Amino acid sequence: MAFGKYAVAVGFLAISGAFGPAAAKITQYECKFPYEEARGGGWIPEILILTDDDVKGEITVFDPVIKHFVGNPIEARLSGRTKARSTYTWELSYRNRGQGGRMIYTFSYFNNGQPAKMKGEPGGYDNSWTGEGTCKVSKG
């Protein structure tokens, strides 16, 4: 009798597992970008957390720069996806000592083991900063 209950439980898990990945499409990227003064002195953050929730249709991003100027995660958007790469973008508007501006960020994660790439462009200026890093990806 105990074996029968076990078989039913295993069968249920197998069936729910078959449906689970299709229903739960939440991907979280926890990335680290080494600090380099030449990369804008902190405009490319050392830590980045981006959550892509296909179920809710929401993408959020949080890092020390966003924490400093906004205090909580902000919205990002998926700007491109291939079998090898996912690319996201977001804008950060900020005010600092009476002056304001905006940074336009692009983040790309590569499935083939290449380093993740991040680019920050100050709105209204021609310069930009880039960084390469590593990411831990969680799916649930």
Side-chain angles (χ1 to χ4, degrees):
M1 189 64 122
F3 178 77
K5 289 180 184 178
Y6 177 78
V8 170
V10 170
F12 176 77
L13 290 174
I15 291 169
S16 64
F19 294 110
K25 295 250 183 172
I26 299 171
T27 305
Q28 183 167 316
Y29 303 90
E30 295 179 38
C31 305
K32 294 181 181 181
F33 296 89
Y35 179 81
E36 295 176 22
E37 186 67 34
R39 286 196 342 242
W43 285 109
I44 300 295
E46 291 183 66
I47 297 169
L48 169 77
I49 299 174
L50 187 138
T51 304
D52 186 345
D53 186 339
D54 285 349
V55 175
K56 293 182 180 178
E58 297 175 355
I59 302 170
T60 58
V61 63
F62 194 59
D63 63 37
V65 178
I66 295 168
K67 181 179 180 183
H68 176 77
F69 289 111
V70 180
N72 52 282
I74 62 173
E75 184 178 325
R77 69 179 183 84
L78 178 67
S79 60
R81 178 170 282 150
T82 66
K83 289 181 181 179
R85 172 186 52 78
S86 296
T87 300
Y88 299 89
T89 57
W90 63 92
E91 272 190 39
L92 171 66
S93 296
Y94 63 89
R95 295 211 54 81
N96 188 23
R97 297 182 185 168
Q99 294 186 0
R102 68 186 172 103
M103 288 290 288
I104 302 154
Y105 285 98
T106 304
F107 164 73
S108 293
Y109 175 78
F110 297 87
N111 298 326
N112 60 5
Q114 292 182 20
K117 297 185 186 292
M118 189 162 177
K119 179 178 182 180
E121 300 175 89
Y125 297 92
D126 293 333
N127 59 329
S128 64
W129 299 286
T130 60
E132 292 187 347
T134 58
C135 299
K136 175 183 169 191
V137 181
S138 305
K139 295 189 182 233

